[in-house]
Amino acid sequence: MKNFQSDLSSVVRLNIGGKKFCTTIDTLTREPDSMLAVMFSGRHTLCQDSDKGYVFVDRDGKHFRHILNWLRDGVVPTLEESQYSELLREAEYYQLLGLIDELNAVLNKRKEVDEFHTDLTRTDIIKCIQSEKVRFRGVNLSGLDLSKLDLSYVDFSYACLKKVFFPRANLQCAKFRHVDAEACIFLNATLRECEFTGANLRGALLAGACLQSANLQDACLVDSSFCGADLRTAHLQNADLTNANLEGAVLEGANLKGAKLNNANLKGANLQRAYLSHLNLRHTHLEGARFDGANLLGAIR
């Protein structure tokens, strides 16, 4: 049993799960709020073996050298992702708040890089669309600039299209079934007769786009923008348009059966002959909207 005193230069021998380490009190107490600093503050009596005086800690010693190097130099090691997670668990055990913050930052950065690691480039896409039938089903194209390309009839179903840039692209009759197109940009794109059933278009920008007769059934359109978009005869059954901006959009003859329109902006929208039966429009912004010939049977306003 030994009570470590305040001599910062004192050498300490540690046995971490069977692995032996030597360091100093000064190193172990660099982070004053950590468990190690408390252990070796001199306020606690620690058990040592009778042979060489090693203090035993019942933890896996695999990453303890990284713990010591962090305390010595403040440097995060370069590791495989799985090892970062293992080191994070050790840092949490020893309550090393500075190292925990740094490791979380590294893991978050790697996650962002992986999320936007695309399977193909814009050049690859251009080569592919020269073929008669093009399919990018399930492919990760996140963050690509595909603006102004002719992508008509292309099948993107189940693909990851987060933040893809499609302005002024021709996407007529393209298939986007169950895609993840969060924050995707379709500004002024041609999307006539496209299929978006079950797609995630949360936060997407479709202002000025042509979506005539497009199928958006069961799509997530939360926080998306359709300002001035042409949605004539579009299928929006059961679509979630919560907080969506459809100001000035043309929805003439569109089917919105079962759609969610909570806090949606439909100011100045053309809803002539649209199917709005039994919709809850109480919290929808409808100033200046046109409803001539619309089916409003049972709608709540």
Side-chain angles (χ1 to χ4, degrees):
M1 307 284 282
K2 182 174 181 179
N3 191 334
F4 286 84
Q5 301 299 320
S6 58
D7 183 359
L8 298 181
S9 62
S10 295
V11 174
V12 180
R13 293 180 175 85
L14 298 169
N15 180 345
I16 312 296
K19 290 184 179 291
K20 306 291 182 65
F21 299 90
C22 287
T23 185
T24 65
I25 297 293
D26 180 47
T27 296
L28 294 171
T29 57
R30 290 279 171 84
E31 285 207 16
D33 296 323
S34 71
M35 190 186 81
L36 290 171
V38 172
M39 284 176 63
F40 294 95
S41 64
R43 301 192 300 270
H44 301 277
T45 301
L46 303 175
C47 292
Q48 296 174 282
D49 63 37
S50 57
D51 184 14
K52 294 187 178 180
Y54 282 93
V55 176
F56 180 75
V57 179
D58 189 15
R59 294 294 291 179
D60 188 343
K62 177 181 178 181
H63 296 297
F64 194 73
R65 68 186 183 91
H66 299 312
I67 297 288
L68 289 179
N69 287 336
W70 163 259
L71 290 169
R72 291 165 179 148
D73 308 316
V75 175
V76 177
T78 301
L79 303 169
E80 297 294 326
E81 187 166 345
S82 61
Q83 292 181 314
Y84 276 120
S85 299
E86 292 171 4
L87 181 55
L88 179 59
R89 282 197 297 273
E90 296 306 302
E92 289 171 343
Y93 175 80
Y94 293 113
Q95 299 172 33
L96 296 164
L97 301 183
L99 180 54
I100 291 169
D101 289 343
E102 291 291 336
L103 290 172
N104 279 324
V106 170
L107 287 169
N108 288 336
K109 187 174 181 181
R110 286 198 166 198
K111 185 177 179 181
E112 290 175 6
V113 170
D114 290 342
E115 184 177 350
F116 293 105
H117 178 71
T118 58
D119 297 324
L120 298 170
T121 65
R122 179 183 170 92
T123 302
D124 293 330
I125 300 293
I126 291 171
K127 289 177 181 178
C128 287
I129 60 179
Q130 294 171 0
S131 303
E132 188 172 338
K133 284 189 177 181
V134 184
R135 292 183 179 181
F136 297 116
R137 293 171 65 93
V139 177
N140 182 4
L141 303 175
S142 299
L144 283 187
D145 179 0
L146 301 179
S147 59
K148 301 180 181 179
L149 294 181
D150 184 357
L151 298 163
S152 53
Y153 296 92
V154 172
D155 189 351
F156 292 99
S157 298
Y158 304 97
C160 183
L161 303 176
K162 288 183 178 180
K163 298 186 179 180
V164 171
F165 202 60
F166 282 117
R168 300 189 182 280
N170 179 11
L171 293 153
Q172 180 171 331
C173 296
K175 291 181 173 63
F176 293 93
R177 288 192 297 266
H178 298 283
V179 297
D180 186 356
E182 186 169 343
C184 206
I185 299 174
F186 292 97
L187 193 66
N188 297 313
T190 299
L191 294 157
R192 188 181 290 109
E193 298 180 31
C194 280
E195 189 169 347
F196 282 99
T197 51
N200 175 20
L201 287 159
R202 182 184 291 269
L205 179 59
L206 297 107
C210 176
L211 289 137
Q212 288 180 27
S213 301
N215 189 347
L216 292 140
Q217 292 186 61
D218 301 305
C220 175
L221 306 172
V222 177
D223 297 321
S224 56
S225 175
F226 292 87
C227 288
D230 185 349
L231 288 148
R232 281 178 286 179
T233 65
H235 303 276
L236 291 152
Q237 295 96 310
N238 301 313
D240 190 348
L241 285 153
T242 302
N243 297 324
N245 189 356
L246 294 110
E247 185 168 355
V250 179
L251 290 139
E252 187 175 346
N255 188 344
L256 288 96
K257 181 181 179 180
K260 296 177 183 177
L261 291 164
N262 187 46
N263 202 40
N265 179 9
L266 284 158
K267 294 178 182 178
N270 181 351
L271 291 155
Q272 293 177 301
R273 295 183 293 282
Y275 187 92
L276 306 168
S277 180
H278 298 288
L279 287 185
N280 186 347
L281 302 172
R282 183 169 293 165
H283 301 293
T284 305
H285 304 283
L286 298 166
E287 297 89 333
R290 298 169 61 187
F291 294 95
D292 304 333
N295 185 345
L296 289 160
L297 181 66
I300 303 170
R301 297 176 66 181

